[in-house]
Amino acid sequence: RGLVSSASRPREDSWLKSLFVRKVDPRKDAHSNLLAKRETSSLYKLQIHNVKPECLEAYNKLCQEVLPKIHEEKHYPCALVGTWNTWYGEQDQAVHLWRYEGGYPALNEVMSKLRQNKEFTEFRKERGNMLLSRKNQLLLEFSFWNEPVPREGPNIYELRSYQLRPGTMIEWGNYWARAIRFRQDNNEAVGGFFSQIGQLYMVHHLWAYKDLQTREDIRNAAWHKPGWDELVYYTVPLIQEMESRIMIPLKISPLQ
């Protein structure tokens, strides 16, 4: 009874192999130094607001009136990268992505100036009455991803969010540094980020597509490229949870 037949061993080996990923040499530096772009010092803020269903139209109108004033004001070292409503995923949801040129000092400068801005204070108060909940994260961008730059539309956007197992961020970065080359043919890769403050070991990939069918076609095409299946095989065990949002940009969004 204690013996295992040789015929069953390959199946067991395959099953056990699926539980593990390739080992990565130990590193003695912070993830932010190993994975982030060195040529820039940009910090990103991802804001997710769950809006009362009856208030979404008023919320969008208010944001479209006020947010460009911050984005276009030269005295604020920040830029609105994109702003959307979630179309498929959690409903009545707004997603905003900001870039702070100069990292944490720029963030502190913007926040300090906004606290003195009467219009923004009123905006936050009015906006707060429309929300069910809100959260944000501070992010850095992966060195191997495209810089998110304005693009013409119309497009739909997919924000794929991954909660990784603690301790696996370097492995994720190693694999995706190779995997991203499989997803460049149609200019769909917009940006890739990892969290620094907020929910940790979070990764966000932002993609742009003409429509849902185009998304399906592009994603299916990746499976016909040699090597893509192997990279998926080794990255899936790193994930604890994942979420996909399909989003529609607001009129003021630089990403259309």
Side-chain angles (χ1 to χ4, degrees):
R1 290 181 184 174
L3 297 176
V4 179
S5 69
S6 59
S8 66
R9 282 198 185 107
R11 288 196 297 272
E12 287 188 5
D13 290 345
S14 176
W15 180 80
L16 287 170
K17 186 178 179 182
S18 70
L19 296 180
F20 299 98
V21 295
R22 291 174 178 172
K23 291 183 179 179
V24 177
D25 293 335
R27 304 299 179 97
K28 296 183 179 180
D29 205 349
H31 293 162
S32 57
N33 294 329
L34 295 170
L35 296 172
K37 280 186 169 66
R38 293 180 181 273
E39 62 272 21
T40 69
S41 57
S42 295
L43 180 70
Y44 291 80
K45 179 166 68 176
L46 179 68
Q47 298 176 299
I48 298 177
H49 293 167
N50 291 313
V51 185
K52 296 175 183 177
E54 67 274 15
C55 295
L56 185 60
E57 186 176 347
Y59 173 94
N60 287 340
K61 183 180 178 182
L62 183 64
C63 287
Q64 291 180 138
E65 290 174 354
V66 177
L67 295 188
K69 296 178 183 178
I70 303 169
H71 168 59
E72 296 165 2
E73 174 56 64
K74 63 180 180 180
H75 299 297
Y76 293 105
C78 66
L80 181 64
V81 177
T83 178
W84 304 268
N85 284 154
T86 301
W87 184 24
Y88 287 104
E90 196 161 350
Q91 297 294 282
D92 304 306
Q93 187 177 78
V95 179
H96 310 290
L97 182 63
W98 293 86
R99 180 194 294 115
Y100 296 87
E101 308 284 356
Y104 292 108
L107 173 67
N108 290 337
E109 181 182 345
V110 171
M111 294 299 102
S112 177
K113 287 181 176 179
L114 287 178
R115 281 193 289 269
Q116 308 302 318
N117 185 320
K118 250 186 170 181
E119 183 180 10
F120 185 77
T121 301
E122 289 301 315
F123 161 72
R124 285 198 64 180
K125 183 177 179 181
E126 186 175 353
R127 184 188 68 182
N129 293 330
M130 301 179 184
L131 300 181
L132 293 170
S133 65
R134 61 192 179 100
K135 67 177 180 178
N136 58 31
Q137 287 182 318
L138 295 180
L139 315 169
L140 295 177
E141 55 184 332
F142 283 111
S143 60
F144 47 84
W145 268 79
N146 300 338
E147 183 85 12
V149 296
R151 65 171 66 197
E152 295 181 355
N155 296 292
I156 61 170
Y157 288 81
E158 180 176 19
L159 183 65
R160 295 179 70 87
S161 301
Y162 303 89
Q163 177 67 61
L164 302 186
R165 289 174 29 229
T168 61
M169 185 66 74
I170 295 296
E171 292 169 275
W172 181 274
N174 284 346
Y175 287 124
W176 264 95
R178 287 180 284 155
I180 192 63
R181 72 177 188 266
F182 293 99
R183 300 295 309 276
Q184 300 283 6
D185 294 348
N186 299 279
N187 195 33
E188 72 267 26
V190 178
F193 314 91
F194 60 99
S195 62
Q196 289 289 283
I197 295 178
Q199 192 169 353
L200 299 178
Y201 283 96
M202 283 288 295
V203 170
H204 301 283
H205 292 175
L206 183 61
W207 308 91
Y209 304 102
K210 180 182 176 182
D211 50 39
L212 287 174
Q213 185 59 55
T214 302
R215 170 188 176 275
E216 182 76 1
D217 294 342
I218 289 174
R219 288 175 55 81
N220 286 341
W223 289 96
H224 298 289
K225 299 176 181 179
W228 172 257
D229 58 341
E230 181 183 5
L231 290 166
V232 172
Y233 178 89
Y234 285 111
T235 53
V236 165
L238 306 178
I239 302 169
Q240 286 187 330
E241 294 180 16
M242 57 189 297
E243 181 179 6
S244 170
R245 292 177 177 86
I246 301 297
M247 308 183 302
I248 303 296
L250 299 185
K251 292 178 180 179
I252 60 169
S253 178
L255 288 170
Q256 283 296 309

